[in-house]
Amino acid sequence: MTSAARQGRRRTYQEDFEAATQEIHKAIQRGLPSAAPDYDTIAVLMIHWDNDNLGVQPLEHALAEVFKTTYHFNVETYVMQAYAKTSALHRMHSRLINFAAKYQGPKSLFIYVYSGHADSGPYPPGDQCLWFGDSADPNSPRLDWLKCRHVAEGAQADKLFLFDCCYASTAALNNFGYEYLVAASMEAQAAGNLQGSFTQRLINILQQHARGGIAVSQIHALMVKTMRQGGTTLDATPVHIGASPKSSIVLKPIVTVTREVHGLRKAVTRGAGKVLVTLRLRGAGTVPDVREWQRWLSRSIPDEVESVAVEAVFPGSTIILLTLPMEVWTFLDGTPGFQFVDYVDDHNQWVQSESQQLGIGGLSLSDRPKGLENQPFASSSKGGFR
């Protein structure tokens, strides 16, 4: 799990701003893919327990119908038997092997979906991702996903894991190259209200964006933004973990999967929310002057990407404040020199409104007399600065 939070508070740097913009450019390519891959088979395995006491089956069935009828994916359901004679782990291994044998191939995508209860072991979170069905039964069997994950990962296919459960990101511990979108972090519980759950929000987004397709990174950004604006009753912030070094998977109906996803970046990212981050450079001498900023940014940031902005630069300091699309941050998290600050909805409004009154200077990234702060890297027309 590539997260700066799991690497402690060790201070890291980018060597200079040109190196930093190259990292941002790579994150944009991965978080905002401009085209969908040519999958000829997309198969979904829906998983829940037969003794589930959350009532997940109706909502899981609704998600399966979206995948099946709207997206034309192959969908199978595996109901884990809580009290079968053989162990849950053995049966899960067999089911994953059979699923892979049926659908795997060089142009296949597998989507694994789990809905139900989960625990992460002793606190602080240990090295377990325990799934179980009945929270009222202390003897309800537990299945440790981390002990069978390697079977799913061994299939010849790209993989996406969608888990709606508490402590869901523990499923991605020591993740090596697979994409996860899950309901909660390893310290958080997921929503108990199914109608306001991660799965319900996923259904809504998939239905809204079926025609043009949507990247998993963009689904996450929309979930977080809606949650922050009070448009959903999600109790925990969903977590997206990218598959290094691959781009985020694009979900779209398989009948049109070979068509390029025109406008995918701009249509979703304009309103999908931002993160505020700090960028720390190696030394004050690496902070560029006006012309260097303009040259490097216009060369490194794709024209169609909006909402990337410099919010503040401080004289004599090596720290720069940036806002980035949420989808881009997923693929920068853990990169040396970049540090998450908070989710935000807009740019630095105080500087924007006060700079002329107080004489705040700084770098202008456009022909208009504005300061350095609150200037997007690139416009959507000629790649210049606004």
Side-chain angles (χ1 to χ4, degrees):
M1 183 176 180
T2 57
S3 170
R6 294 187 60 80
Q7 298 174 11
R9 293 293 182 180
R10 182 174 57 89
R11 181 171 292 181
T12 59
Y13 303 86
Q14 284 290 308
E15 288 301 320
D16 51 42
F17 193 76
E18 185 167 17
T21 56
Q22 291 173 359
E23 293 293 342
I24 295 171
H25 178 78
K26 289 189 290 185
I28 288 170
Q29 298 302 315
R30 296 176 61 201
L32 298 172
S34 59
D38 294 330
Y39 294 123
D40 55 23
T41 299
I42 302 180
V44 184
L45 183 61
M46 317 283 294
I47 305 168
H48 68 270
W49 288 94
D50 64 353
N51 68 333
D52 164 68
N53 68 343
L54 277 175
V56 302
Q57 188 171 357
L59 206 55
E60 184 183 278
H61 177 74
L63 177 59
E65 283 300 304
V66 172
F67 281 139
K68 188 184 305 181
T69 62
T70 304
Y71 284 75
H72 310 288
F73 298 167
N74 299 290
V75 179
E76 296 190 6
T77 298
Y78 176 45
V79 181
M80 293 183 287
Q81 296 178 313
Y83 297 104
K85 293 182 179 179
T86 55
S87 72
L89 182 63
H90 175 77
R91 285 179 280 115
M92 177 62 80
H93 280 192
S94 298
R95 189 67 180 86
L96 294 173
I97 291 170
N98 293 336
F99 180 74
K102 187 174 182 180
Y103 296 110
Q104 69 182 344
K107 293 186 176 182
S108 295
L109 168 64
F110 288 175
I111 303 174
Y112 299 92
V113 180
Y114 171 69
S115 305
H117 290 293
D119 197 359
S120 60
Y123 188 85
D127 58 353
Q128 295 177 306
C129 178
L130 303 174
W131 295 352
F132 59 98
D134 188 352
S135 59
D137 180 5
N139 298 316
S140 184
R142 262 66 169 168
L143 171 70
D144 187 354
W145 169 251
L146 298 183
K147 292 184 177 180
C148 50
R149 184 181 70 181
H150 67 280
V151 181
E153 293 175 346
Q156 185 185 20
D158 286 344
K159 295 132 191 124
L160 170 63
F161 300 92
L162 304 172
F163 294 163
D164 189 355
C165 57
C166 297
Y167 317 109
S169 67
T170 56
L173 283 171
N174 302 315
N175 172 46
F176 300 105
Y178 305 102
E179 190 162 14
Y180 283 76
L181 179 61
V182 299
S185 71
M186 63 179 62
E187 295 89 9
Q189 296 184 351
N193 174 16
L194 292 179
Q195 293 309 308
S197 68
F198 170 89
T199 299
Q200 182 61 68
R201 183 65 182 133
L202 177 61
I203 291 170
N204 295 343
I205 293 173
L206 288 173
Q207 289 175 329
Q208 292 165 5
H209 295 275
R211 183 174 181 180
I214 185 168
V216 176
S217 57
Q218 295 172 319
I219 295 175
H220 172 253
L222 290 171
M223 283 184 169
V224 173
K225 182 181 181 183
T226 305
M227 174 186 176
R228 295 185 64 252
Q229 293 179 339
T232 180
T233 55
L234 286 175
D235 294 330
T237 303
V239 176
H240 176 230
I241 302 164
S244 178
K246 300 178 180 178
S247 297
S248 186
I249 290 169
V250 175
L251 298 179
K252 62 175 303 183
I254 198 169
V255 291
T256 57
V257 76
T258 59
R259 181 174 60 84
E260 187 172 350
V261 188
H262 296 293
L264 178 62
R265 288 174 170 171
K266 187 184 300 183
V268 180
T269 52
R270 275 181 174 171
K274 306 173 181 64
V275 294
L276 178 66
V277 305
T278 59
L279 167 61
R280 188 181 295 273
L281 302 182
R282 176 64 66 182
T286 64
V287 178
D289 62 23
V290 174
R291 291 183 178 82
E292 287 177 315
W293 282 96
Q294 292 174 326
R295 184 178 70 253
W296 288 348
L297 297 178
S298 62
R299 183 179 65 202
S300 300
I301 306 302
D303 293 347
E304 67 271 33
V305 177
E306 298 183 343
S307 301
V308 179
V310 177
E311 302 295 342
V313 171
F314 306 95
S317 172
T318 63
I319 293 178
I320 301 168
L321 290 179
L322 306 173
T323 48
L324 306 163
M326 290 185 197
E327 305 94 317
V328 174
W329 171 245
T330 292
F331 294 95
L332 277 174
D333 189 8
T335 301
F338 292 89
Q339 182 69 47
F340 175 86
V341 177
D342 202 357
Y343 295 107
V344 295
D345 294 322
D346 212 330
H347 298 290
N348 188 340
Q349 297 299 303
W350 186 88
V351 171
Q352 185 178 43
S353 62
E354 300 292 335
S355 59
Q356 291 183 346
Q357 296 179 34
L358 301 180
I360 296 176
L363 168 65
S364 174
L365 299 184
S366 73
D367 293 330
R368 291 175 290 177
K370 292 184 179 180
L372 164 65
E373 300 85 355
N374 197 27
Q375 303 306 310
F377 281 180
S379 71
S380 59
S381 55
K382 298 181 181 180
F385 299 94
R386 296 189 291 180

